[in-house]
Amino acid sequence: MKGSWTALAVAFSAIFSVASCNDYGNTFQGNTGAVISSLSPTNATAGGGDFTLTVTGAGFVQKTVVHWNGQNLATTVVNSASLTAVVPAADTAKAGIFFVNTVSPHSGSQNNGLSNVVNFTVFPPPNPQATISKMTPSCAVAGSSSFPITIVGTNFLPASDPSGGSLVHWNTATQTTLPIVGSISSTQIQATVSAMLVATPGTANVTVSNPPVPNSPAGGGGPSNALLFTVQTTACPASASATATAQAQITVAEETPAVSHDGRYIAYTATQENHAQVFLRDTCEAAAGDCKQRTILLSAAEDGAAANDDSRSPSMSSDGRFVAFSSAATNLVAEAPPGRQIYLRDTCLGAAASCTPSTQLISADPNGALVGTESILPSVSASGRFVVFLAVTPSHSASQAKAQASAQASKGLNSGYRQVFVRDTCFDAANCMPSTTRISLQPGDASSTDEKPAGPAISGAAKHVALAGARNSTLYTRSVAVDDGVFLALTNKPQ
């Protein structure tokens, strides 16, 4: 018996010594189909559309089919030496090396109908070209010490990009690459200008350059447009951004912070560059011993860039997870309405690991009651589900306000200067559709237009809302009867 196994092993050894494997792991005695000599094109760039691949060789027959990574392509036989096949866009959506061969009619391993395999390369898409719109500062006094410069624009690449990321160039008679400070977002980059570069009066062109995609003919990248930096002997004039920053600082000084129930989290307004921004501070109060204090920017776009206009008036849920604020920024959500709006930031603090921080627009109303208003002074219920806020219409004279109130009230639209709305976000509620409800209406009120509008406050359970009027304060509850011109629908839906 041992001799029989030995003979069998020798026989199999002889078989496999002359056999080889195709690309799909099948064993055969060499390719018996056509022969591919070339492909045209030989490569493509990821993200393109459908294209026609020409396969040149010999031995093609009427039913020869082109394979792309083992999948049939729609093939046209031109003649025995040429085929064409359509490569769908989905097959080149990502960069990589793909295998092209042909399959002709065959009958088993001795006649497998397979051709040789030719590689087709799909390169990454080209890097975009950056553009810059603003640079702060744009002037320095000769002899200054080193300082940071902030550049705002589009298509900036982070350092983690395979190309190495965007570079900031200081261009005079020679070009200097400025050291990057911190991380780069798609819209903002900060670099350091050394004292040597501003030692003498003169000018420099500042550009942001994106490197090309490495090892790819697509390449891309290149320098952006240039902004002029001036080095002068006299003091630089105050820039518009500096003036805006000063104004923002004055306004921020009047802001009131919001605190979570346990005192651990604090949401507050502070200036960053030339805008007021909303931040959250984790103090680690009563937290586990491994907690590390940190500050989080809440008024941020999806890519992490700071809000591009003032944000203020934070209000926080009891656990600190949800923070509502008012902002005039247009980059916090896609297709943000103009003017000041109310946004709710889910920080995911205390939530499951699968939670992703996000921002949603709160001052939204499909019925049109918020058209033409600006929304300010939000207040969040304890759970974070409900947000009450004040909607302010543009100021008019007393006669205009009265006429507007009369005309619009008859249509159920905005009438007057101040209205209170409640947004039910349906957070943690089953069978619920987000909705916006108007709960108060104060038409006209022309005698108090010079006073600062007071914001509403919502109770922790979202059952009561208080509003300070021009002459008095009113506490609304869902059981209070109100005038015909006002409807009360502060939501307390079944859970």
Side-chain angles (χ1 to χ4, degrees):
M1 177 67 77
K2 182 176 180 181
S4 299
W5 280 109
T6 302
L8 188 61
V10 170
F12 272 104
S13 175
I15 292 172
F16 280 101
S17 66
V18 297
S20 58
C21 292
N22 66 6
D23 295 284
Y24 311 106
N26 300 320
T27 304
F28 55 83
Q29 292 180 334
N31 294 331
T32 64
V35 175
I36 299 177
S37 57
S38 65
L39 302 177
S40 179
T42 59
N43 60 73
T45 300
D50 298 356
F51 70 92
T52 299
L53 177 69
T54 299
V55 181
T56 303
F60 302 138
V61 297
Q62 193 59 38
K63 292 186 178 181
T64 299
V65 176
V66 177
H67 271 192
W68 178 278
N69 265 21
Q71 300 299 315
N72 289 347
L73 297 181
T75 304
T76 299
V77 179
V78 179
N79 52 49
S80 63
S82 179
L83 305 173
T84 61
V86 177
V87 181
D91 287 346
T92 58
K94 295 183 179 179
I97 303 294
F98 298 87
F99 307 111
V100 176
N101 69 333
T102 64
V103 180
S104 298
H106 56 282
S107 56
S109 61
Q110 299 301 312
N111 179 20
N112 54 57
L114 296 174
S115 73
N116 58 309
V117 173
V118 179
N119 292 347
F120 187 99
T121 304
V122 177
F123 292 103
N127 275 343
Q129 186 174 23
T131 62
I132 56 178
S133 56
K134 185 172 64 174
M135 175 174 61
T136 308
S138 59
C139 174
V141 177
S144 299
S145 57
S146 62
F147 57 90
I149 185 172
T150 301
I151 300 170
V152 176
T154 60
N155 295 330
F156 298 158
L157 302 176
S160 58
D161 188 86
S163 64
S166 298
L167 302 173
V168 178
H169 288 148
W170 180 276
N171 303 284
T172 52
T174 59
Q175 180 173 275
T176 302
T177 301
L178 303 183
I180 302 297
V181 178
S183 59
I184 302 173
S185 76
S186 63
T187 58
Q188 183 169 299
I189 185 170
Q190 190 174 62
T192 299
V193 178
S194 69
M196 182 181 67
L197 295 176
V198 293
T200 58
T203 59
N205 285 318
V206 177
T207 59
V208 173
S209 182
N210 286 345
V213 175
N215 303 317
S216 171
S224 69
N225 57 304
L227 293 184
L228 186 67
F229 192 98
T230 304
V231 181
Q232 57 190 49
T233 56
T234 58
C236 296
S239 64
S241 60
T243 303
T245 300
Q247 183 59 47
Q249 290 172 338
I250 294 173
T251 306
V252 165
E254 301 177 357
E255 291 284 331
T256 302
V259 185
S260 63
H261 179 72
D262 59 4
R264 174 176 174 177
Y265 301 109
I266 301 173
Y268 63 95
T269 309
T271 55
Q272 179 174 285
E273 297 179 15
N274 60 330
H275 291 304
Q277 304 287 359
V278 175
F279 296 87
L280 181 140
R281 178 68 176 176
D282 182 355
T283 67
C284 292
E285 181 74 22
D290 59 350
C291 177
K292 295 182 179 180
Q293 294 185 356
R294 56 178 175 152
T295 301
I296 305 169
L297 174 65
L298 299 183
S299 51
E302 185 176 354
D303 63 359
N308 58 16
D309 209 329
D310 288 344
S311 303
R312 49 174 54 94
S313 304
S315 176
M316 180 183 290
S317 60
S318 62
D319 59 0
R321 173 174 174 176
F322 295 96
V323 178
F325 58 91
S326 176
S327 179
T330 57
N331 65 333
L332 298 181
V333 297
E335 299 180 0
R340 290 176 293 179
Q341 304 294 333
I342 302 300
Y343 297 92
L344 184 67
R345 180 71 174 178
D346 182 355
T347 67
C348 291
L349 294 172
S354 59
C355 179
T356 301
S358 60
T359 301
Q360 62 173 296
L361 175 68
I362 293 298
S363 50
D365 176 29
N367 297 320
L370 290 169
V371 174
T373 69
E374 290 199 333
S375 301
I376 58 174
L377 302 174
S379 180
V380 184
S381 64
S383 68
R385 173 179 171 178
F386 295 93
V387 182
V388 62
F389 59 92
L390 187 66
V392 183
T393 59
S395 298
H396 300 281
S397 65
S399 59
Q400 287 176 316
K402 184 175 181 180
Q404 180 190 26
S406 176
Q408 294 188 339
S410 65
K411 300 179 182 178
L413 302 176
N414 293 335
S415 54
Y417 295 141
R418 295 182 291 163
Q419 300 172 86
V420 177
F421 290 82
V422 170
R423 178 70 173 178
D424 182 355
T425 68
C426 291
F427 169 70
D428 208 24
N431 302 318
C432 176
M433 289 292 291
S435 60
T436 304
T437 303
R438 179 175 56 187
I439 64 167
S440 76
L441 189 65
Q442 294 185 328
D445 201 13
S447 62
S448 61
T449 56
D450 292 334
E451 298 184 18
K452 287 187 176 180
I458 194 168
S459 64
K463 294 182 178 179
H464 302 79
V465 171
L467 173 68
R471 302 180 185 85
N472 51 49
S473 296
T474 305
L475 177 67
Y476 292 107
T477 72
R478 56 191 173 90
S479 62
V480 172
V482 294
D483 186 87
D484 294 347
V486 183
F487 68 90
L488 180 66
L490 181 58
T491 309
N492 188 18
K493 299 176 182 178
Q495 302 301 306

